[in-house]
Amino acid sequence: MEVVQQDRCRSSLNRKARRKSKMKILKKLKPEERGLTRTLWEQVFTEDTKEFLDYYYTEKTKNNEIYVIETDHDIRAMMQLNPYVIQMGKKAVESRYIVAVATEPLYRHRGYMAELLSKTARDLYQQKMPFFFLMPASEKIYYPHNYRFIYAADVWSAKGTDGKELTIQKIVELQNDSEEKDCKKLGDFAEEVLEKQKIQVYTKRDAAYYMRLLKEQESEKGGILIAEQDGEMRGILVFDEEDGLAVREPLIRKGYEDVFDKAGVILKKEEKKKPLIMARLLNVESLLSSMVCKEEMDLEFVLYDPIIRENNCLFMLKGNEEHLVVRTRTAHTGKDDAVQKISIDALTSIVFGYKELEKIEEEEKEIFSAEFKEEISKLMPFSPVFINEIV
C-alpha cells in the first residue's frame, strides 16, 4: 500500500512538471534576446531573403521591441514593434510600426495573436502613444481587433523614355543613386516637400532615417534615386527588385513634376489608390489633445473600447481656432444615456478623415446624431496621411 501511494505521488508530480513545462508565457524580449525570433521569421515569411533578414536583424532590432509567447522555453508567436517618430499636425509624437506578426503553424488558432495585440495596445496606452499602425497581409485579420485603414497609397510604375520596362541597371545608368553622404540632404528635402504638401501625418525623415532606408533597399537589390536640376535636388524615388522592378511613391518638389521624365524615367500613377496602412487608436485623450478645430465647438461623446478600458469614458471637447481642451470622466448610466455613443473603430476613421461620416455609420452599424455630426465636423482631421514604409 505504501508503494502504491508513492507511485501516485510520483505520478502527480510528473503531471505537474509536464503542465509547468507547457506553461504559456507572454513577455517582451530583452535586447540580447531579439535575435532568437529569426528562426520563426524564416519559418513563416519564407519569401524574405537572407540579405533582407541580415539587414533587418542587424539594423531594425537595435532599438525595436519584440513581444513573444513561449511554451516549453520555445518561441511560438511574436509581434515586433519598430519605433517611428510621427508628425501629427504641428506635433511630433512617438509611435510604433507593427511588423512580423507570426505564429508557428502548429500553434495557430489558439488566440496567440489576439493576446499579443491586446498586450501591446495596453502597454503603449500607458506610454501615452496616440496610435500604432501596420501594413496588413489581409484587412480581415485585423478588422476584429479594432484596426481601420487610415492611408491609401498611390500606385506607381516606371518605364523608360522608349516605353519599355525599366530595369534597375538602366535606372542607375540614367541617374546616380544615393549614397550615405546624401542622407542628410534627403531628410531635409523630404521634410520640406511633405510640409509644403500640407501632409498632416507622416514618419519624420532625417539622415538616420534615410541611412536605414538605403541599407534596406540595398538588401532588396534596390536603392534611392535622386533627380537633380540646376544643381539642386528636385525629386527622390525609392525602388527595389524583389519581385521585378517596384517603385514607391516619389517625393517631388512642386513645379518640377517632370524632373524624372527628363532623367529618362517615365513615372505613371494608377487611377485607383491601394489601401495600405491600418491603425489602432491607443491613448485617445492624448490623440484628441493634439487636434485643432476650425471654429468654436462643444462636443461630448461616450467612447467604447473593448481592449483598453481606460478609454471607456465620457469625452468632453471644447475649443475654438486657437485652443482645444479635452476632458474626460467616467460615464454614468442614466445620466449620460442621451450622450452620443461611438466605437473606437468609428473614431479611428473619423480622426484620420479616411471616410465620410455616412460611410462610417453604414460600415460600423452606428448612428450619429445631427448634433454630433455638426460638432465633429468642426474638428480638423489628421488628413492627408503619408505612411508608406515597409518595415
Side-chain angles (χ1 to χ4, degrees), residues 115-289:
E115 290 184 51
L116 289 168
L117 291 171
S118 298
K119 171 62 175 171
T120 51
R122 290 192 294 268
D123 283 359
L124 296 183
Y125 169 89
Q126 297 298 333
Q127 298 178 40
K128 296 189 180 300
M129 284 189 196
F131 72 100
F132 59 178
F133 58 99
L134 54 81
M135 185 185 296
S138 169
E139 173 188 2
K140 294 178 181 179
I141 296 174
Y142 296 97
Y143 199 89
H145 301 283
N146 314 112
Y147 289 78
R148 294 296 182 269
F149 277 112
I150 64 168
Y151 175 58
D154 289 323
V155 179
W156 293 80
S157 60
K159 290 183 180 295
T161 50
D162 58 0
K164 295 181 180 179
E165 293 291 340
L166 282 168
T167 64
I168 285 178
Q169 289 75 15
K170 186 62 176 175
I171 288 180
V172 173
E173 287 174 15
L174 293 166
Q175 187 78 34
N176 289 331
D177 56 348
S178 62
E179 299 177 1
E180 289 191 13
K181 62 182 175 61
D182 298 309
C183 290
K184 173 67 166 61
K185 292 180 182 178
L186 285 166
D188 293 342
F189 175 83
E191 287 286 315
E192 180 186 345
V193 170
L194 291 167
E195 184 177 347
K196 287 187 175 180
Q197 290 180 358
K198 300 187 184 302
I199 304 298
Q200 293 297 300
V201 181
Y202 62 89
T203 50
K204 294 285 289 180
R205 267 77 163 170
D206 58 13
Y209 174 97
Y210 277 103
M211 286 182 70
R212 286 192 303 270
L213 181 57
L214 185 57
K215 291 176 182 177
E216 178 185 336
Q217 295 309 111
E218 288 173 345
S219 76
E220 297 179 309
K221 302 178 183 177
I224 304 172
L225 191 65
I226 299 174
E228 294 183 348
Q229 190 170 324
D230 302 324
E232 296 289 334
M233 193 178 294
R234 305 301 188 189
I236 56 179
L237 176 67
V238 178
F239 65 92
D240 67 67
E241 201 177 29
E242 188 177 17
D243 294 306
L245 179 64
V247 296
R248 229 181 281 181
E249 296 163 293
L251 286 174
I252 302 174
R253 192 187 301 275
K254 188 176 181 181
Y256 294 88
E257 287 76 11
D258 63 347
V259 70
F260 281 103
D261 297 359
K262 292 179 178 179
V265 181
I266 307 302
L267 296 175
K268 179 184 177 183
K269 183 170 68 172
E270 303 295 331
E271 291 184 12
K272 192 173 181 180
K273 290 176 176 282
K274 177 184 178 182
L276 192 70
I277 297 293
M278 300 181 83
R280 208 280 183 201
L281 297 191
L282 299 169
N283 195 302
V284 173
E285 184 175 0
S286 175
L287 173 76
L288 294 175
S289 297

Side-chain angles (χ1 to χ4, degrees), residues 21 59 90 97 137 145 178 180 206-207 218 240 247 279 324 333 353 373 389:
S21 70
E59 296 295 328
K90 295 182 179 180
Y97 190 175
H145 301 283
S178 62
E180 289 191 13
D206 58 13
E218 288 173 345
D240 67 67
V247 296
L324 176 66
T333 304
K373 289 181 179 180
E389 285 70 22

Side-chain angles (χ1 to χ4, degrees), residues 322-334:
E322 298 179 354
H323 193 56
L324 176 66
V325 176
V326 179
R327 294 181 295 122
T328 65
R329 69 164 170 78
T330 303
H332 300 291
T333 304

